[in-house]
Amino acid sequence: GGGFWGFGNETQQAHALFKPTHLGDECAAANKGAEWKCIFGQYRMPHVKTPYLLVASEYDSFQLSTAVGWHTPKTAGEKAYAANFAKQTAALSESLRANWKSTDGPNAVYS
């Protein structure tokens, strides 16, 4: 019984259980009423101002295996989920790079 009900739901439950207080003022203000998002990378990273190294796979095996199972996506729905996940990951990475305030030249590498 049961099954995976989504990373968003799991993150909301973890936030409610552990009640973290180090969410970042800017992120918490941007997500008023949904502060759980500030412990979820896709919502937190746009508010991080210190330099960081981001490693994000467009076809993240953990997330895909959790959502579609430990196999190559086969059905149209599984393939659409994987393609959408890849598209969202790439878009977030590109958005973070486009909005990074750099004063000393290029500071991003994609592979």
Side-chain angles (χ1 to χ4, degrees), residues 47-88:
H47 304 287
V48 174
K49 304 298 183 213
T50 55
Y52 57 84
L53 171 67
L54 177 69
V55 177
S57 174
E58 291 179 9
Y59 295 96
D60 181 275
S61 63
F62 175 75
Q63 292 205 38
L64 290 177
S65 68
T66 302
V68 303
W70 284 103
H71 60 267
T72 301
K74 295 178 178 99
T75 68
E78 290 173 351
K79 290 177 181 178
Y81 179 90
N84 187 54
F85 181 83
K87 182 179 174 183
Q88 287 182 336

